[in-house]
Amino acid sequence: MRQAFIEELTLLAETNLNLFLIVGDLGYSVVEPFAERFPDRFLNAGVAEQNMTGLAAGLASCGFHVFTYSIANFPTLRCLEQIRNDVCYHNLPVTVVSVGGGMAYGNLGYSHHATEDLAVTLPLPNIRVIAPGDPFETRLATRELCKKPGPSYLRLGKAREPTIHAAIDGIKDLRTLQILQEGSDVMLVSTGGILEQVKAAAERLTQSGICAGYSSSPYLKPFDEAGLLSIALKTKIIISVEEHGVGGLSSLISETLHRNNMNTLFRCLKTQTENYKFVGSQKHLRAKHGLDEEHISSFAMTCLADLADAT
Amino acid sequence: MIYKAKASHIGGAFSVIDILTSLYLGNILKVSPDSPDAPDRDRLIFSKGHCTSALYAVLAMKGFFSKDLLERFGEDESLLLCHTSHHLPGVEFSTGSLGHGLSFATGCALAAKRLSRTWKTYAILSDGELNEGSTWEAIQSAAHLRLNNLVAVIDANRSQGLGNTDSVLKLTPLAGKFAAFNWDVIEIEGHDHEQILHATSIDRSEHDSPLCIIAHTTKGKGVNFMEGKLEWHYRSPNEKERDQALEQLSR
Ligand SMILES: Cc1ncc(C[n+]2csc(CCOP(=O)(O)OP(=O)(O)O)c2C)c(N)n1
């Protein structure tokens, strides 16, 4: 996803002369194309994320659309108050970009995982929060952000995520829930790079004769409530899947369902704090948190069985 | 304002008022109430937002908004909250959480460089907010970027929340610290308008570093029972104290 992002950004910067990229001393072998092509609109702010973000707000107040770029928690939690006060409160065009959303940096450990970033950015004023599910969604998100600059958070995976959408042109409106497969028994709703596991889980369920669908919610703010409600009318169980703890997609869905008096069964899969001590690759850690295709599909089976028992 | 709103921070407002007065009313800043958002205006970032009463008073004097508005400082539905707010004309940046202003100012100064524009950026900082790590990130950054169009004025009243700056978190040698971070530094008497006007109008075009002006000031300046007294970081004057203060200040 980071490759898709930087390619798009570099392309967009050819015609959009306000685009500015600041990195927090990382992005080796990723950001060079932009830095070399547009040295006047590039800055390495050093390992100083608070200043990176405050400085970005200053540049933005003078007409630039600034992207700040760093890993996992560094561009969000480390400088949250600068995002809150300097960027969001002032409604300035700064897009915070994080690579390594969730546990993409696997064995680098908890310090390099972003598992609370959505919870802290979603309540901020004026912000858009986007976590693309595949490289196509990443490209479209980058284009949309440049078209309509404003406070925003773009949460990317890392590298080599598969494309899940068949084609980029097939994505009609990125702001809506992207239903990749309909499912009348269960609908898996995910956000971010975990989409790949969700797709595989849906395929497993389908093979077991269950009518399982899956979807991606790149936009978390604004969240496609109408899209969710229409899913709720068409399926027995909604299961959210995200590489993030409480306060992200699961909270948005449960709040939306509750507020609209929907009683479609809703269950969520997310990271659990007691599992943050484990070491391993992203694949390994996803399994530890029950977020791999195997766990997702067996969890869905259990939910369906419970529902059948109850009725 | 502070008496009516029962607000705090009068001490720090009096220590910074001469700096603000000189910059705005001494016409150092190229800003105009007729076009507060003019693209090439100078930028003043008031980082010690808790002392915003001083900024609001000077902006009203300059004509950015009516002086009547000052009477509504801190009131319900007023535009004048008790920290600096960008919702007012003439205010660039909202502050209140210490340690944000210099980074934002660095961004404004860098924008001028990258756009080949001539506006200057001034940041007014308290000495207490030099405790903040974020301020030192900005200090490194502005010098690294050789922002000779950036001036930081430190309101060095040597007092902060719970005591003397050196007793809270040792700050001296302050000039030496800025110099070591590759800033040019000058020290002035921060209530002497001549000195402030001179220091803030030095032509910096031949330099290649930002300028730090350490303005030595007195908290509560001008009112004998407030000068140097920590309690005036918090207290609001009662009616009698207000009248005494006004009497002393009008001399
Ligand atoms: C980040 C942050 N921490 C704490 C405070 C609370 N606070 C308000 S003023 C102040 C200290 C005041 O000292 P100084 O900054 O030197 O200001 P001055 O003496 O000029 O009024 C503190 C700690 C704050 N506003 N922001």
Side-chain angles (χ1 to χ4, degrees), chain A residues 81, chain B residues 9 11-13 15 48 50-51 83 96-98 126-129 132 155 157 159-161 165 219 233:
Chain A
E81 201 183 64
Chain B
H9 306 132
S15 70
K48 46 173 286 182
H50 60 284
C51 297
H83 284 96
S97 176
L98 292 164
S126 66
D127 47 10
E129 68 180 316
E132 287 284 359
D155 176 10
N157 58 28
S159 168
Q160 58 185 97
T165 45
K219 222 158 158 167
H233 185 72

Side-chain angles (χ1 to χ4, degrees), chain B residues 8 41-42 61 63 83 120 123 148 152 181 183 186 213 218:
Chain B
S8 300
R41 70 191 181 278
D42 286 344
M61 297 279 283
H83 284 96
K120 286 184 86 175
N148 63 353
F181 277 73
W183 283 58
I186 47 180
I213 300 172
T218 302

